[in-house]
Amino acid sequence: MAARLIALNHRRTREQNRAFVTECPLSEYDALTRSAELQQLVQRISKTTDGEQQRQLKSALPFRCPHYTRFADNHRDREHIDPESFTWQTCVDIDDPELVEKANMMSEKLDIQADGEWQCMMLHKDYSARRKLHIDIRLPIGMTVPEAQRAYCRALGVEADTSCFTPERFIYITPADYEIYRADGWYEQLSDEEIAIRRKAYTDRGLSIDGRTADGNYFDAESSVSLKESRVNPCPKEFPQEFKGIAYDAIIAEFWRRTGGVPSEGERNKRLHQLAANLRAICDNNQQWLLQVMPSLGLSQQEMQSIIHSACKEPTKGSKMMDEIIDRLSLTINHSEEDDTDGATEDAGAALNVKALPMGLKESLVGVPPRMHMPVLCSVLPLAAAYADQVEVRYCDGEMQKLGMMSIIHGEQASGKSVCKHAINVWLRQLDEEDELARQREDEWHEKKKARKANEKAPDDPKVLIRVVPITISCSTLLKRLKNSRGHTLFSFGEELDTLRKTNGAGSWSSKYDIYRLAFDPIDSKWGQDYNSDQAESGVVRVAYNWTMLGTDGAVRKCFKNDNIENGLSSRMLLAEMPDTAFAKMPKYRRRTTDDEGRIQDAVRRLRSYNGFVDTPKLRHAIENWCEEKRIEAAKDIDHVKDVYRRRAAVIGFRCGVIFHLLTGNIKESKACTDFAVMMAQYSMEQQIRTFGNVLQNQYVDAEQESRRYSCNRSIFDQLAPTFTIDDVAALKSKSVSHNAIVKIISRWNIDGWVEKIDATHWSKTKHDNDK
């Protein structure tokens, strides 16, 4: 095997400043990525929200050079480059968080595209400390670094970052689990014959052997003006982003739909001129306004200004097409509002304000009958949480949490549960596309493994990232998928809960109780298994696994029996009950428009763009207040079932509120966000009590062994006289409640300051409580 060398700065000492690099074997890079110090530093960076502190921490990261393995005197600058050490590869940097997953998926497609220009040209791929993307590619013969960067970025559908074109550039190194893909040829020294061919392709163009010009820069056939610096919208948005309540993005999307789709490269100028000529009618013929709201489609700001100026010089005559587009989109919004207000969504105390929902959640409910809003919403929230898997939040108790969530939508057969499936399918599109490519790569590996001869070495496992797994997945396969998850959350959708319950093999419901519980719990909950056999997967992993299941009421009863209600699994579930359809008319549905589905995809991209710690103090305060109110209610009613279920219902409501907040894109939580979180906590608690309350109640043996009240007009505490005895409390409770249990209850009232002890048998309510 050819030597693999790399230029590194380990950042071991202060003397190793940013100008210092040394040529090392690639094994030193691998050892560096596995170090505990690097892991801890990257974790600190991801959790830091202060920009200046983040830059300081990032500057302490070790780094590698993508273009050269050797610099004279170990000094990294243009004058000290050794052209003989040119790597014939470059690293594409995707800095826009909303484009990371798109580029990730497209790079996979390009790499396996038969006879494509970029087939098998991807050498390495990893995430940065802030979950941006680095893609190392082999340079096509004859292309310089800037030319290859621009061409590859065009194929990805993103703008090229000209700061990546510098010869002496470096890339910060991240831990091994941030690595997504590595080809055998990464940093591998090419054969002498291939190097000679590549050098000749440069020298025939009058360039140096590494593709540079006399000034030391790589030759760039296109303009050297940075596309990033000449974006169409470099200044803060000062013009309205909506016309009559309709976003300009939606208007432009409808314009493209009516005129044959988004223009290709050869027709960009003409079609953008047509767009500007029509759009100016609703932008007051203002060129700066048009410049702000129009897409650039890869053109520079100067080119866009020229197109818009030309369009605005024509006589103003309005736009019939714009009038039709506005009328149609207005009609769509009005229909949506009718759906939202046609009998407000009221279910078990949930008052859902559909109009206040953020992007993605609102569109999920388009065309859904109001009585089914909560089941659909609860079905998509675990998937939305899985997309925001790089986010960490601090809960009311001070503990850090990820957004683990599991939901069960239940109802009688033929109750319309498939409406949830339709919404989930739209939300799943991006993961499905990525998983399809990953499964294709895994299948190719299996075929190569089968086809190898007895004396041949088995090909290396590609360890692909597959995030959508079947709900009946075996524990062994789930362990493998979690091992390869690269810090992401897996997701499952099951259409029939009963199918899972009946699975008696390794993928059964009962064998994964522990996994489900751990998936909900705070950060760093781990699970694993050990086998002596190579046929079964062994290891220990962090559990990050969300799911949504549909099922009948009977299936829920069979799955949740005494053991997994008492063991805490039931309180971790976000439950939603389908409306009663007995003797009811057939519900009417309406299809989502392409714009609705596009907004859901935008919501997915937004959730995926978040990384690190997100502070939500208003949410914490709102949920803490709600949880305390429920504690007081439970204590007055001596309702242990409510006391149990309020706690994790508060966590579920809090996480739902975080998703709401992320989707708004706001810096601080809105009033609508905190209202939503409290509503979801209340709904979750009431659904848990309704579904599991009786079973949990029957499991208590002392203080927990008492009757649960769903709708009592006055609590037991309120029914007591100002002065009372233990016997008075016992008379209001079930005969099964022991004397010791009642003493415990009164002691809790005393600790909370509600009562004072008069003598051995008498208690009195405090004046403070009587004044309430």
Side-chain angles (χ1 to χ4, degrees):
M1 181 181 290
R4 298 186 188 185
L5 300 173
I6 186 171
L8 290 179
N9 183 318
H10 300 76
R11 308 313 291 266
R12 288 173 179 152
T13 65
R14 291 192 177 182
E15 286 70 31
Q16 290 186 359
N17 57 37
R18 289 172 62 160
F20 177 86
V21 288
T22 182
E23 187 177 55
C24 308
L26 192 60
S27 57
E28 285 198 29
Y29 168 87
D30 290 330
L32 195 58
T33 63
R34 292 192 293 268
S35 69
E37 293 85 354
L38 180 60
Q39 186 78 45
Q40 291 165 3
L41 179 57
V42 169
Q43 285 178 356
R44 287 178 63 194
I45 293 171
S46 66
K47 291 178 180 178
T48 301
T49 54
D50 180 76
E52 183 57 35
Q53 186 180 1
Q54 194 177 93
R55 281 190 290 275
Q56 291 175 1
L57 289 171
K58 190 176 177 182
S59 67
L61 285 170
F63 59 78
R64 63 181 174 93
C65 297
H67 298 143
Y68 300 91
T69 66
R70 194 165 53 251
F71 292 79
D73 301 324
N74 293 337
H75 189 81
R76 185 187 61 84
D77 67 11
R78 202 160 301 182
E79 287 69 33
H80 289 78
I81 285 173
D82 182 352
E84 298 279 342
S85 72
F86 189 49
T87 61
W88 305 101
Q89 61 188 51
T90 188
C91 181
V92 174
D93 192 3
I94 309 299
D95 246 358
D96 188 336
E98 295 194 357
L99 295 176
V100 166
E101 292 307 324
K102 173 189 174 183
N104 193 4
M105 181 182 70
M106 281 302 301
S107 67
E108 297 285 341
K109 287 183 178 179
L110 294 173
D111 200 51
I112 63 175
Q113 184 179 8
D115 300 322
E117 182 182 9
W118 301 104
Q119 184 183 13
C120 298
M121 299 292 268
M122 183 166 63
L123 299 175
H124 186 262
K125 187 163 57 173
D126 66 2
Y127 290 117
S128 71
R130 293 294 292 171
R131 289 283 171 175
K132 308 300 173 57
L133 191 65
H134 299 143
I135 308 172
D136 288 52
I137 58 171
R138 177 70 70 205
L139 298 178
I141 293 176
M143 273 196 190
T144 62
V145 166
E147 290 168 343
Q149 288 254 358
R150 290 190 190 279
Y152 191 73
C153 285
R154 274 195 290 267
L156 290 179
V158 301
E159 289 184 359
D161 184 351
T162 56
S163 66
C164 302
F165 298 176
T166 55
E168 68 276 16
R169 181 185 176 224
F170 67 85
I171 302 292
Y172 285 119
I173 296 170
T174 49
D177 57 359
Y178 279 52
E179 185 174 87
I180 303 169
Y181 171 75
R182 183 190 295 197
D184 291 339
W186 190 48
Y187 279 105
E188 185 175 34
Q189 187 174 343
L190 303 181
S191 67
D192 292 341
E193 293 78 11
E194 183 171 352
I195 290 175
I197 293 170
R198 287 176 172 274
R199 286 178 176 174
K200 186 174 186 301
Y202 282 160
T203 56
D204 285 350
R205 299 175 63 187
L207 305 174
S208 67
I209 60 173
D210 52 349
R212 289 189 289 163
T213 56
D215 63 0
N217 289 311
Y218 291 124
F219 177 74
D220 185 3
E222 297 187 32
S223 170
S224 61
V225 177
S226 168
L227 286 177
K228 276 196 168 183
E229 294 174 351
S230 60
R231 278 184 182 157
V232 173
N233 186 18
C235 56
K237 294 179 178 178
E238 56 188 58
F239 295 101
Q241 296 302 296
E242 294 183 344
F243 179 77
K244 294 185 176 180
I246 305 167
Y248 279 100
D249 287 347
I251 295 169
I252 292 168
E254 178 64 14
F255 179 86
W256 292 142
R257 189 186 70 80
R258 289 171 176 243
T259 57
V262 178
S264 59
E265 187 173 348
E267 58 178 0
R268 283 181 308 188
N269 293 43
K270 179 182 176 182
R271 297 280 303 284
L272 282 168
H273 184 280
Q274 291 174 347
L275 174 62
N278 282 274
L279 201 60
R280 64 185 178 138
I282 56 173
C283 291
D284 294 341
N285 208 41
N286 186 307
Q287 295 185 34
Q288 289 302 313
W289 195 341
L290 286 167
L291 191 63
Q292 182 175 284
V293 299
M294 281 182 60
S296 65
L297 302 182
L299 298 181
S300 70
Q301 184 177 8
Q302 188 175 1
E303 290 171 316
M304 286 298 298
Q305 286 174 331
S306 175
I307 290 170
I308 291 170
H309 179 69
S310 173
C312 289
K313 282 198 307 183
E314 298 175 5
T316 305
K317 56 185 177 182
S319 170
K320 183 178 179 182
M321 183 184 291
M322 277 296 138
D323 292 341
E324 292 173 353
I325 288 173
I326 297 301
D327 289 344
R328 180 191 174 278
L329 294 179
S330 297
L331 188 62
T332 301
I333 291 173
N334 290 335
H335 280 327
S336 177
E337 291 177 351
E338 288 170 15
D339 288 342
D340 296 343
T341 56
D342 180 16
T345 303
E346 299 278 353
D347 189 356
L352 177 62
N353 183 358
V354 178
K355 290 183 180 180
L357 290 176
M359 173 178 69
L361 297 184
K362 182 187 292 185
E363 287 75 18
S364 299
L365 304 184
V366 168
V368 176
R371 295 179 67 207
M372 296 182 182
H373 279 175
M374 286 305 293
V376 171
L377 188 64
C378 292
S379 70
V380 301
L381 281 168
L383 180 50
Y387 277 121
D389 57 2
Q390 301 307 304
V391 167
E392 293 180 9
V393 289
R394 179 172 288 110
Y395 187 55
C396 311
D397 59 4
E399 289 290 324
M400 298 298 290
Q401 294 188 356
K402 291 277 193 178
L403 302 180
M405 201 177 295
M406 298 166 283
S407 74
I408 296 178
I409 316 302
H410 63 101
E412 293 303 325
Q413 53 184 306
S415 57
K417 293 185 288 294
S418 61
V419 71
C420 301
K421 176 186 174 184
H422 299 322
I424 285 176
N425 284 343
V426 179
W427 277 83
L428 268 177
R429 281 180 191 168
Q430 293 186 31
L431 285 185
D432 283 342
E433 289 178 5
E434 293 162 18
D435 282 3
E436 183 181 357
L437 294 169
R439 289 186 185 277
Q440 184 177 341
R441 177 166 278 170
E442 190 174 57
D443 289 343
E444 289 171 358
W445 170 69
H446 281 300
E447 290 301 320
K448 288 179 184 177
K449 205 163 124 179
K450 279 194 233 173
R452 72 187 174 92
K453 295 177 183 177
N455 60 345
E456 287 182 340
K457 180 185 174 184
D460 292 336
D461 186 343
K463 296 181 180 178
V464 295
L465 169 62
I466 293 176
R467 294 185 59 186
V468 182
V469 299
I471 198 72
T472 52
I473 187 172
S474 69
C475 290
S476 183
T477 306
L478 180 58
L479 179 59
K480 178 182 178 180
R481 296 299 185 213
L482 287 169
K483 271 185 176 181
N484 298 334
S485 66
R486 302 168 193 154
H488 287 295
T489 297
L490 306 188
F491 180 78
S492 289
F493 173 62
E495 294 187 52
E496 292 294 342
L497 180 59
D498 205 42
T499 301
L500 181 63
R501 186 187 66 81
K502 290 176 179 177
T503 308
N504 295 320
S508 69
W509 164 262
S510 58
S511 68
K512 293 205 286 287
Y513 286 171
D514 289 339
I515 302 171
Y516 296 153
R517 289 199 301 269
L518 291 169
F520 181 89
D521 291 344
I523 295 173
D524 294 332
S525 295
K526 294 183 178 179
W527 161 80
Q529 57 186 22
D530 273 319
Y531 292 103
N532 291 326
S533 168
D534 291 336
Q535 303 303 312
E537 197 75 25
S538 296
V540 178
V541 293
R542 184 180 74 82
V543 183
Y545 182 31
N546 290 6
W547 50 254
T548 295
M549 283 194 257
L550 313 180
T552 63
D553 298 332
V556 173
R557 286 193 295 270
K558 290 172 184 174
C559 283
F560 287 88
K561 295 183 178 177
N562 290 359
D563 57 347
N564 57 359
I565 288 183
E566 188 275 333
N567 69 12
L569 185 60
S570 66
S571 62
R572 291 169 167 87
M573 295 293 123
L574 172 58
L575 295 161
E577 187 175 7
M578 295 298 294
D580 184 5
T581 57
F583 313 109
K585 290 182 178 180
M586 183 180 294
K588 300 292 184 183
Y589 304 98
R590 183 168 60 80
R591 290 179 62 86
R592 295 177 187 86
T593 66
T594 53
D595 290 337
D596 295 328
E597 295 184 353
R599 294 275 287 172
I600 292 174
Q601 300 311 312
D602 290 341
V604 169
R605 283 186 281 273
R606 177 171 289 178
L607 291 172
R608 300 180 84 167
S609 70
Y610 286 100
N611 178 273
F613 174 63
V614 175
D615 197 16
T616 54
K618 291 182 180 179
L619 266 179
R620 286 197 297 273
H621 180 70
I623 288 296
E624 188 172 7
N625 285 347
W626 177 86
C627 200
E628 178 63 11
E629 288 173 9
K630 299 305 139 183
R631 183 190 72 81
I632 293 171
E633 287 178 14
K636 285 189 174 184
D637 278 345
I638 317 179
D639 189 339
H640 285 269
V641 171
K642 179 183 281 189
D643 188 49
V644 167
Y645 282 125
R646 71 175 172 90
R647 300 172 194 177
R648 288 204 177 105
V651 176
I652 292 170
F654 174 77
R655 292 178 184 176
C656 293
V658 171
I659 295 166
F660 186 111
H661 174 56
L662 296 176
L663 286 171
T664 64
N666 297 332
I667 297 174
K668 295 182 179 180
E669 313 95 294
S670 63
K671 175 70 163 52
C673 173
T674 55
D675 288 348
F676 177 77
V678 169
M679 182 276 294
M680 288 302 300
Q682 181 72 23
Y683 179 81
S684 179
M685 182 188 73
E686 292 178 354
Q687 287 289 313
Q688 289 172 351
I689 292 174
R690 180 186 299 211
T691 308
F692 305 127
N694 281 327
V695 180
L696 182 60
Q697 168 196 302
N698 293 334
Q699 293 174 354
Y700 289 113
V701 293
D702 47 26
E704 290 80 17
Q705 203 173 49
E706 58 186 291
S707 62
R708 175 179 50 81
R709 298 170 182 259
Y710 287 119
S711 57
C712 57
N713 292 327
R714 299 175 63 215
S715 72
I716 288 168
F717 181 82
D718 291 337
Q719 294 177 58
L720 292 169
T723 301
F724 61 90
T725 66
I726 290 178
D727 291 338
D728 293 333
V729 179
L732 294 171
K733 294 300 296 176
S734 165
K735 293 181 181 179
S736 62
V737 180
S738 67
H739 177 82
N740 287 340
I742 293 174
V743 170
K744 283 184 185 179
I745 293 163
I746 297 176
S747 295
R748 171 56 63 188
W749 290 346
N750 180 237
I751 291 169
D752 287 343
W754 297 354
V755 298
E756 295 174 341
K757 191 171 184 179
I758 299 174
D759 53 40
T761 58
H762 290 80
W763 298 78
S764 69
K765 295 182 179 180
T766 61
K767 183 177 184 301
H768 171 72
D769 188 80
N770 288 327
D771 289 342
K772 286 182 182 177

